[in-house]
Amino acid sequence: MATAQLPLHAMEPASQVDSGDMSVPSLFTTGPPIRDALETESSLLQDETIDECLPFLSGQAHDHVNAHGVPRLYRDRHVRFLHKQLGTLPPMFKSADPSRPWIFYWCLAGLTLLGEDVESYRSRLVETVRPMQNETGGFGGGFGQTSHLATTYATVLSLALVGGEDAFEVVDRRSMWKWLCSLKQPDGGFQMAAGGEEDVRGAYCAAVIISLLNIPLSLPPDSPARAAGHTGLLSGLGEWVRRCQTYEGGVSAKPGVEAHGAYVFCALGCLSILDSPHRSVPRYLNVARLASWLSARQYAPEGGFSGRTNKLVDGCYSHWVGGCWPLLEASLKGPGKRPAAQTADRSPSQADDSLFDRNGLIRYILCCGQDLSKRGGLRDKPSKYSDAYHSCYVLSGLSSAQHKWELVEARTDEFALDGDKWIVSPHVKGEQIFDEQDRVCVTHPVYTIPPHKAEACQQYFISKEGF
């Protein structure tokens, strides 16, 4: 592969390239410091990607940049783009009809990250998704479509984002419980749909739905999973996720296939719902190998993440890989309250001790990940068009890089799915290369919605007795 990973700890080379008042580290203005002599189709594509990104990373492709060669976040353009995606879409989107709940989630989540209030969409969302719920439980991609864990996950998160009793009451929790029980497999995992594939997305989506909606965990007597010895929806799930870790250290969709960054996030998110991450993640995964694999996903000179070994950087992995680090750090450090003085100290004088190069990711996002035209939105890389999917996950990754999440109190009972207490603060250690007005809002490291939205949803259903 014609590139080299950034090291596990943040990397700031002493040599820098200056252009007037602009100072950009040479790591982001030249080719990769290490090259593989073997030329392959993958290495040629990587060379093309580097050539494509370098003018943006060096600041030369932007009209206005700050002293670090980083453009501003074009917030207003991105807000307009996401609002437009929630309106009437052109005929070419017919093929995306089964993904409508995802479009709702991507746009609503992206808008909240940009500081927008999305509660005004509540009545429209309720009216739209109610017919997508099947009597047998769960939500399909549209009216009359089969219920699927992915579209159900996206719908539940969308309802949590707009909030309010009207939104929460859309969900038929009894039928949801029955449907989830039917998807639970004898090996501990979940099918994505009745008779469908079983993979780590199912583990994560089911765990999120169960946690946010306070779904009872007990399996009915006729459950095939109960016949295999499982008594609850989450029984054996950690053991199933463990089987998905590969020889490289990453996590695959199912046992025996290639590791992928999005599946690592799903695995860490699932395990962080099963128990506090400092207990559950080391219990089921080899953390050292996982950290090594994740660190290898961050490339130089791009600064962004790839999703698989020998694959290209892509803006969406700003979340799928970048969002893994808060959960991995929590699994390594465990809970611990910070002294009040440290909490209040926002001095950037201390060296950045993060497990990934935050500034490298921020530079990639702001330099390469923004559609700089009037269209707005976020994208995979400069040659790609912006879309709702990338807008959501690029902004989520930016939030992870700009903020520091810490687990300060672990649950006393692993079945208390809302028992962990997290705090979040602006990340200020080391040099800040972006302007403060370009800091986005926070998103929960497990649920990928604002923490107060996740808490409001959980507490509403915890307060309800039975179904």
Side-chain angles (χ1 to χ4, degrees):
M1 187 69 180
T3 191
Q5 69 182 64
L6 289 169
L8 193 60
H9 293 281
M11 182 174 179
E12 280 295 336
S15 173
Q16 295 187 331
V17 175
D18 294 302
S19 177
D21 295 330
M22 184 176 67
S23 181
V24 181
S26 61
L27 182 67
F28 304 106
T29 61
T30 59
I34 302 173
R35 293 183 62 88
D36 191 328
L38 177 64
E39 188 176 273
T40 66
E41 182 179 352
S42 293
S43 70
L44 293 175
L45 287 173
Q46 177 62 24
D47 287 341
E48 291 177 9
T49 300
I50 291 172
D51 291 341
E52 174 186 332
C53 292
L54 280 178
F56 292 86
L57 294 167
S58 65
Q60 298 171 7
H62 303 284
D63 293 333
H64 303 285
V65 294
N66 64 16
H68 302 281
V70 176
R72 65 183 176 91
L73 177 69
Y74 289 86
R75 190 183 302 265
D76 292 343
R77 296 181 190 178
H78 305 328
V79 167
R80 286 197 301 271
F81 174 81
L82 290 170
H83 279 305
K84 189 174 181 179
Q85 300 299 302
L86 287 171
T88 302
L89 298 175
M92 69 178 67
F93 279 84
K94 281 185 177 180
S95 61
D97 183 64
S99 298
R100 289 174 69 197
W102 279 113
I103 296 174
F104 305 153
Y105 166 68
W106 295 330
C107 293
L108 294 171
L111 287 168
T112 59
L113 284 162
L114 292 167
E116 296 291 297
D117 183 355
V118 298
E119 291 183 3
S120 61
Y121 283 104
R122 180 185 300 147
S123 60
R124 284 176 56 193
L125 181 70
V126 167
E127 181 182 351
T128 303
V129 303
R130 195 189 302 275
M132 298 180 180
Q133 184 169 213
N134 290 304
E135 291 184 2
T136 52
F139 292 83
F143 176 71
Q145 297 178 20
T146 301
S147 294
H148 195 279
L149 268 178
T151 50
T152 301
Y153 162 88
T155 302
V156 169
L157 290 187
S158 297
L159 292 169
L161 282 164
V162 298
E165 183 175 355
D166 290 349
F168 297 149
E169 285 298 321
V170 169
V171 181
D172 183 338
R173 289 169 64 245
R174 176 178 289 277
S175 66
M176 181 76 77
W177 169 72
K178 291 180 180 178
W179 178 64
L180 289 169
C181 289
S182 73
L183 300 180
K184 179 70 174 179
Q185 297 299 293
D187 61 6
F190 282 88
Q191 289 181 329
M192 293 298 292
E197 72 274 27
E198 179 185 9
D199 59 42
V200 78
R201 294 175 304 155
Y204 172 64
C205 291
V208 167
I209 294 165
I210 291 165
S211 175
L212 288 179
L213 302 183
N214 190 34
I215 299 292
L217 297 179
S218 297
L219 291 172
D222 59 349
S223 167
R226 181 176 281 277
H230 301 297
T231 58
L233 281 167
L234 301 181
S235 174
L237 192 55
E239 287 79 6
W240 189 87
V241 170
R242 173 194 285 145
R243 295 172 53 213
C244 296
Q245 187 168 27
T246 75
Y247 71 95
E248 291 183 286
V251 175
S252 58
K254 58 184 180 181
V257 297
E258 184 184 13
H260 190 289
Y263 299 134
V264 175
F265 178 82
C266 288
L268 289 173
C270 172
L271 295 179
S272 297
I273 291 173
L274 295 185
D275 199 355
S276 299
H278 68 292
R279 292 194 292 257
S280 62
V281 175
R283 184 187 307 158
Y284 297 112
L285 298 177
N286 184 316
V287 175
R289 286 169 54 203
L290 177 58
S292 176
W293 187 86
L294 283 172
S295 69
R297 303 281 63 74
Q298 191 168 26
Y299 288 174
E302 302 98 302
F305 291 106
S306 71
R308 293 179 284 162
T309 302
N310 285 349
K311 294 298 182 180
L312 303 177
V313 66
D314 183 334
C316 71
Y317 296 115
S318 302
H319 164 68
W320 293 121
V321 177
C324 290
W325 294 108
L327 300 176
L328 190 64
E329 289 180 356
S331 72
L332 290 168
K333 296 178 181 179
K337 292 185 180 294
R338 294 185 298 170
Q342 184 179 350
T343 303
D345 180 19
R346 293 192 56 181
S347 169
S349 59
Q350 293 175 286
D352 186 359
D353 60 353
S354 300
L355 294 181
F356 70 106
D357 189 332
R358 292 175 183 266
N359 280 345
L361 179 59
I362 291 168
R363 185 179 297 276
Y364 180 79
I365 289 173
L366 294 179
C367 291
C368 300
Q370 298 191 85
D371 187 322
L372 303 178
S373 71
K374 292 182 179 179
R375 169 188 171 91
L378 287 300
R379 60 193 180 188
D380 165 352
K381 52 179 67 71
S383 61
K384 304 294 185 180
Y385 286 109
S386 58
D387 56 56
Y389 167 82
H390 283 90
S391 295
C392 172
Y393 291 125
V394 172
L395 289 169
S396 295
L398 182 60
S399 179
S400 292
Q402 291 178 333
H403 296 92
K404 179 73 171 178
W405 281 92
E406 294 179 84
L407 180 67
V408 294
E409 186 176 333
R411 67 191 81 174
T412 56
D413 181 353
E414 66 178 286
F415 295 106
L417 305 185
D418 65 327
D420 292 334
K421 305 302 178 187
W422 298 78
I423 59 171
V424 61
S425 58
H427 184 269
V428 295
K429 288 186 178 181
E431 187 176 34
Q432 180 170 307
I433 66 169
F434 64 94
D435 298 332
E436 186 58 34
Q437 64 264 29
D438 295 329
R439 192 182 295 274
V440 297
C441 299
V442 298
T443 188
H444 195 285
V446 174
Y447 301 106
T448 324
I449 58 175
H452 69 282
K453 297 284 188 179
E455 183 179 4
C457 186
Q458 285 179 319
Q459 293 306 311
Y460 178 84
F461 289 110
I462 288 173
S463 67
K464 296 176 69 68
E465 295 184 5
F467 289 118

Short mmCIF file of all heavy atoms in Angstrom, two decimals, residues 402-436:
data_model
loop_
_atom_site.label_atom_id
_atom_site.label_comp_id
_atom_site.label_asym_id
_atom_site.label_seq_id
_atom_site.Cartn_x
_atom_site.Cartn_y
_atom_site.Cartn_z
N GLN A 402 -13.33 16.95 18.32
CA GLN A 402 -13.32 18.25 18.99
C GLN A 402 -13.68 18.17 20.47
O GLN A 402 -13.53 19.16 21.19
CB GLN A 402 -14.30 19.21 18.29
CG GLN A 402 -13.86 19.63 16.90
CD GLN A 402 -14.89 20.54 16.24
OE1 GLN A 402 -16.09 20.48 16.55
NE2 GLN A 402 -14.43 21.39 15.33
N HIS A 403 -14.15 17.01 20.92
CA HIS A 403 -14.60 16.87 22.30
C HIS A 403 -13.94 15.67 22.97
O HIS A 403 -13.54 14.72 22.31
CB HIS A 403 -16.12 16.73 22.37
CG HIS A 403 -16.86 17.94 21.90
ND1 HIS A 403 -17.26 18.09 20.59
CD2 HIS A 403 -17.25 19.06 22.54
CE1 HIS A 403 -17.88 19.26 20.45
NE2 HIS A 403 -17.90 19.86 21.62
N LYS A 404 -13.90 15.73 24.28
CA LYS A 404 -13.32 14.66 25.09
C LYS A 404 -14.42 14.05 25.94
O LYS A 404 -15.04 14.71 26.77
CB LYS A 404 -12.22 15.23 26.00
CG LYS A 404 -11.55 14.22 26.91
CD LYS A 404 -10.64 13.30 26.13
CE LYS A 404 -9.82 12.42 27.07
NZ LYS A 404 -8.95 11.49 26.31
N TRP A 405 -14.67 12.76 25.73
CA TRP A 405 -15.65 12.03 26.52
C TRP A 405 -14.93 11.23 27.59
O TRP A 405 -13.89 10.62 27.33
CB TRP A 405 -16.46 11.08 25.64
CG TRP A 405 -17.54 11.75 24.86
CD1 TRP A 405 -17.44 12.26 23.60
CD2 TRP A 405 -18.87 11.99 25.30
NE1 TRP A 405 -18.63 12.80 23.23
CE2 TRP A 405 -19.53 12.66 24.24
CE3 TRP A 405 -19.58 11.72 26.47
CZ2 TRP A 405 -20.88 13.05 24.33
CZ3 TRP A 405 -20.91 12.10 26.55
CH2 TRP A 405 -21.54 12.75 25.49
N GLU A 406 -15.48 11.24 28.80
CA GLU A 406 -14.91 10.44 29.88
C GLU A 406 -16.01 9.74 30.67
O GLU A 406 -17.04 10.35 30.99
CB GLU A 406 -14.09 11.33 30.83
CG GLU A 406 -12.85 11.92 30.18
CD GLU A 406 -12.08 12.81 31.13
OE1 GLU A 406 -11.26 12.28 31.91
OE2 GLU A 406 -12.30 14.03 31.09
N LEU A 407 -15.80 8.48 30.95
CA LEU A 407 -16.70 7.72 31.81
C LEU A 407 -16.34 8.02 33.25
O LEU A 407 -15.23 7.72 33.69
CB LEU A 407 -16.56 6.22 31.52
CG LEU A 407 -17.44 5.28 32.35
CD1 LEU A 407 -18.91 5.47 32.00
CD2 LEU A 407 -17.02 3.84 32.12
N VAL A 408 -17.25 8.65 33.99
CA VAL A 408 -16.93 9.06 35.36
C VAL A 408 -17.60 8.18 36.41
O VAL A 408 -17.20 8.20 37.57
CB VAL A 408 -17.31 10.54 35.60
CG1 VAL A 408 -16.44 11.45 34.75
CG2 VAL A 408 -18.79 10.79 35.32
N GLU A 409 -18.61 7.42 36.01
CA GLU A 409 -19.28 6.55 36.97
C GLU A 409 -19.84 5.34 36.24
O GLU A 409 -20.58 5.48 35.27
CB GLU A 409 -20.41 7.31 37.67
CG GLU A 409 -21.07 6.53 38.80
CD GLU A 409 -22.12 7.36 39.53
OE1 GLU A 409 -21.99 8.60 39.54
OE2 GLU A 409 -23.06 6.75 40.07
N ALA A 410 -19.45 4.16 36.69
CA ALA A 410 -19.91 2.93 36.06
C ALA A 410 -21.15 2.40 36.76
O ALA A 410 -21.34 2.60 37.97
CB ALA A 410 -18.81 1.88 36.09
N ARG A 411 -21.99 1.73 36.03
CA ARG A 411 -23.20 1.14 36.60
C ARG A 411 -22.83 0.09 37.65
O ARG A 411 -21.81 -0.60 37.53
CB ARG A 411 -24.04 0.51 35.50
CG ARG A 411 -23.40 -0.70 34.84
CD ARG A 411 -24.11 -1.17 33.60
NE ARG A 411 -23.75 -0.38 32.43
CZ ARG A 411 -24.15 -0.66 31.19
NH1 ARG A 411 -24.92 -1.71 30.95
NH2 ARG A 411 -23.79 0.10 30.19
N THR A 412 -23.63 -0.03 38.65
CA THR A 412 -23.41 -1.05 39.68
C THR A 412 -23.99 -2.39 39.26
O THR A 412 -23.57 -3.44 39.74
CB THR A 412 -24.02 -0.61 41.01
OG1 THR A 412 -25.41 -0.33 40.82
CG2 THR A 412 -23.33 0.64 41.53
N ASP A 413 -24.96 -2.35 38.36
CA ASP A 413 -25.61 -3.56 37.87
C ASP A 413 -25.52 -3.56 36.35
O ASP A 413 -25.95 -2.60 35.70
CB ASP A 413 -27.08 -3.57 38.32
CG ASP A 413 -27.84 -4.81 37.86
OD1 ASP A 413 -27.28 -5.61 37.08
OD2 ASP A 413 -29.00 -4.97 38.27
N GLU A 414 -24.96 -4.61 35.76
CA GLU A 414 -24.78 -4.63 34.31
C GLU A 414 -26.10 -4.57 33.56
O GLU A 414 -26.14 -4.20 32.38
CB GLU A 414 -24.00 -5.87 33.87
CG GLU A 414 -24.70 -7.19 34.10
CD GLU A 414 -23.87 -8.35 33.60
OE1 GLU A 414 -23.78 -8.55 32.38
OE2 GLU A 414 -23.29 -9.07 34.46
N PHE A 415 -27.21 -4.92 34.21
CA PHE A 415 -28.51 -4.88 33.55
C PHE A 415 -29.14 -3.48 33.61
O PHE A 415 -30.18 -3.26 32.99
CB PHE A 415 -29.45 -5.91 34.17
CG PHE A 415 -29.00 -7.32 33.95
CD1 PHE A 415 -28.45 -8.06 34.99
CD2 PHE A 415 -29.07 -7.90 32.69
CE1 PHE A 415 -28.01 -9.37 34.79
CE2 PHE A 415 -28.63 -9.20 32.48
CZ PHE A 415 -28.11 -9.93 33.53
N ALA A 416 -28.51 -2.55 34.34
CA ALA A 416 -28.98 -1.16 34.36
C ALA A 416 -28.40 -0.46 33.14
O ALA A 416 -27.34 0.16 33.19
CB ALA A 416 -28.56 -0.47 35.65
N LEU A 417 -29.08 -0.59 32.00
CA LEU A 417 -28.50 -0.18 30.72
C LEU A 417 -28.27 1.32 30.63
O LEU A 417 -27.52 1.78 29.77
CB LEU A 417 -29.41 -0.63 29.57
CG LEU A 417 -29.73 -2.14 29.52
CD1 LEU A 417 -30.52 -2.47 28.27
CD2 LEU A 417 -28.46 -2.98 29.59
N ASP A 418 -28.90 2.10 31.51
CA ASP A 418 -28.70 3.55 31.51
C ASP A 418 -27.83 3.98 32.68
O ASP A 418 -27.77 5.17 33.01
CB ASP A 418 -30.04 4.28 31.59
CG ASP A 418 -30.76 4.03 32.93
OD1 ASP A 418 -30.60 2.92 33.48
OD2 ASP A 418 -31.45 4.93 33.41
N GLY A 419 -27.11 3.04 33.29
CA GLY A 419 -26.42 3.32 34.56
C GLY A 419 -25.08 4.04 34.44
O GLY A 419 -24.61 4.61 35.42
N ASP A 420 -24.43 4.00 33.28
CA ASP A 420 -23.14 4.66 33.14
C ASP A 420 -23.31 6.18 33.05
O ASP A 420 -24.23 6.67 32.40
CB ASP A 420 -22.41 4.17 31.89
CG ASP A 420 -21.97 2.72 32.00
OD1 ASP A 420 -21.78 2.24 33.14
OD2 ASP A 420 -21.83 2.05 30.95
N LYS A 421 -22.40 6.90 33.69
CA LYS A 421 -22.43 8.36 33.65
C LYS A 421 -21.19 8.87 32.91
O LYS A 421 -20.06 8.55 33.29
CB LYS A 421 -22.48 8.94 35.06
CG LYS A 421 -23.64 8.43 35.92
CD LYS A 421 -24.99 8.70 35.27
CE LYS A 421 -26.14 8.13 36.11
NZ LYS A 421 -27.43 8.25 35.40
N TRP A 422 -21.43 9.64 31.87
CA TRP A 422 -20.37 10.21 31.06
C TRP A 422 -20.35 11.72 31.22
O TRP A 422 -21.38 12.34 31.49
CB TRP A 422 -20.59 9.91 29.58
CG TRP A 422 -20.60 8.46 29.19
CD1 TRP A 422 -21.62 7.57 29.35
CD2 TRP A 422 -19.54 7.73 28.55
NE1 TRP A 422 -21.27 6.35 28.84
CE2 TRP A 422 -20.00 6.41 28.34
CE3 TRP A 422 -18.26 8.08 28.11
CZ2 TRP A 422 -19.21 5.45 27.72
CZ3 TRP A 422 -17.48 7.13 27.49
CH2 TRP A 422 -17.95 5.82 27.31
N ILE A 423 -19.17 12.33 31.07
CA ILE A 423 -19.08 13.77 30.96
C ILE A 423 -18.33 14.09 29.67
O ILE A 423 -17.51 13.29 29.21
CB ILE A 423 -18.38 14.43 32.17
CG1 ILE A 423 -16.95 13.89 32.34
CG2 ILE A 423 -19.18 14.26 33.43
CD1 ILE A 423 -16.15 14.67 33.37
N VAL A 424 -18.64 15.23 29.12
CA VAL A 424 -18.00 15.64 27.87
C VAL A 424 -17.56 17.09 28.01
O VAL A 424 -18.23 17.89 28.66
CB VAL A 424 -18.95 15.46 26.67
CG1 VAL A 424 -20.20 16.31 26.81
CG2 VAL A 424 -18.24 15.76 25.36
N SER A 425 -16.43 17.40 27.43
CA SER A 425 -15.91 18.76 27.47
C SER A 425 -15.17 19.04 26.17
O SER A 425 -14.74 18.11 25.48
CB SER A 425 -14.97 18.94 28.67
OG SER A 425 -13.90 18.02 28.59
N PRO A 426 -14.99 20.31 25.81
CA PRO A 426 -14.20 20.60 24.61
C PRO A 426 -12.78 20.08 24.79
O PRO A 426 -12.19 20.21 25.86
CB PRO A 426 -14.22 22.14 24.55
CG PRO A 426 -15.42 22.54 25.34
CD PRO A 426 -15.54 21.52 26.44
N HIS A 427 -12.26 19.46 23.76
CA HIS A 427 -10.88 19.00 23.82
C HIS A 427 -9.97 20.18 23.55
O HIS A 427 -10.05 20.81 22.49
CB HIS A 427 -10.62 17.89 22.79
CG HIS A 427 -9.24 17.32 22.89
ND1 HIS A 427 -8.19 17.82 22.16
CD2 HIS A 427 -8.72 16.33 23.67
CE1 HIS A 427 -7.08 17.15 22.47
NE2 HIS A 427 -7.39 16.25 23.37
N VAL A 428 -9.10 20.49 24.50
CA VAL A 428 -8.27 21.69 24.38
C VAL A 428 -6.79 21.41 24.55
O VAL A 428 -5.99 22.33 24.50
CB VAL A 428 -8.72 22.76 25.41
CG1 VAL A 428 -10.12 23.25 25.11
CG2 VAL A 428 -8.64 22.22 26.84
N LYS A 429 -6.41 20.17 24.75
CA LYS A 429 -4.99 19.87 24.90
C LYS A 429 -4.28 19.98 23.56
O LYS A 429 -4.82 19.59 22.53
CB LYS A 429 -4.79 18.48 25.49
CG LYS A 429 -5.18 18.38 26.96
CD LYS A 429 -4.83 17.01 27.52
CE LYS A 429 -5.16 16.92 29.00
NZ LYS A 429 -4.80 15.60 29.56
N GLY A 430 -3.06 20.46 23.58
CA GLY A 430 -2.31 20.61 22.35
C GLY A 430 -2.78 21.83 21.56
O GLY A 430 -3.55 22.67 22.04
N GLU A 431 -2.33 21.93 20.33
CA GLU A 431 -2.64 23.08 19.49
C GLU A 431 -4.00 22.91 18.83
O GLU A 431 -4.30 21.85 18.29
CB GLU A 431 -1.56 23.22 18.41
CG GLU A 431 -1.68 24.47 17.57
CD GLU A 431 -0.53 24.61 16.59
OE1 GLU A 431 -0.04 23.56 16.11
OE2 GLU A 431 -0.12 25.74 16.32
N GLN A 432 -4.83 23.95 18.89
CA GLN A 432 -6.15 23.91 18.24
C GLN A 432 -6.03 24.54 16.87
O GLN A 432 -5.71 25.72 16.74
CB GLN A 432 -7.18 24.64 19.09
CG GLN A 432 -8.58 24.64 18.47
CD GLN A 432 -9.63 25.16 19.42
OE1 GLN A 432 -9.75 24.68 20.55
NE2 GLN A 432 -10.41 26.14 18.98
N ILE A 433 -6.30 23.76 15.82
CA ILE A 433 -6.09 24.26 14.46
C ILE A 433 -7.35 24.83 13.84
O ILE A 433 -7.30 25.40 12.75
CB ILE A 433 -5.53 23.14 13.55
CG1 ILE A 433 -6.57 22.02 13.36
CG2 ILE A 433 -4.22 22.60 14.08
CD1 ILE A 433 -6.19 21.02 12.28
N PHE A 434 -8.50 24.71 14.50
CA PHE A 434 -9.74 25.25 13.97
C PHE A 434 -10.19 26.43 14.82
O PHE A 434 -9.81 26.56 15.99
CB PHE A 434 -10.84 24.18 13.94
CG PHE A 434 -11.24 23.66 15.30
CD1 PHE A 434 -12.31 24.21 15.99
CD2 PHE A 434 -10.54 22.62 15.90
CE1 PHE A 434 -12.68 23.75 17.25
CE2 PHE A 434 -10.89 22.13 17.15
CZ PHE A 434 -11.97 22.71 17.83
N ASP A 435 -10.98 27.31 14.23
CA ASP A 435 -11.50 28.45 14.96
C ASP A 435 -12.64 28.01 15.86
O ASP A 435 -13.43 27.14 15.50
CB ASP A 435 -11.99 29.53 13.98
CG ASP A 435 -10.85 30.05 13.10
OD1 ASP A 435 -9.69 30.02 13.56
OD2 ASP A 435 -11.12 30.46 11.95
N GLU A 436 -12.72 28.60 17.04
CA GLU A 436 -13.66 28.13 18.05
C GLU A 436 -15.11 28.14 17.57
O GLU A 436 -15.91 27.27 17.95
CB GLU A 436 -13.53 28.96 19.33
CG GLU A 436 -14.35 28.46 20.50
CD GLU A 436 -14.03 27.01 20.90
OE1 GLU A 436 -12.85 26.61 20.79
OE2 GLU A 436 -14.97 26.30 21.32
#
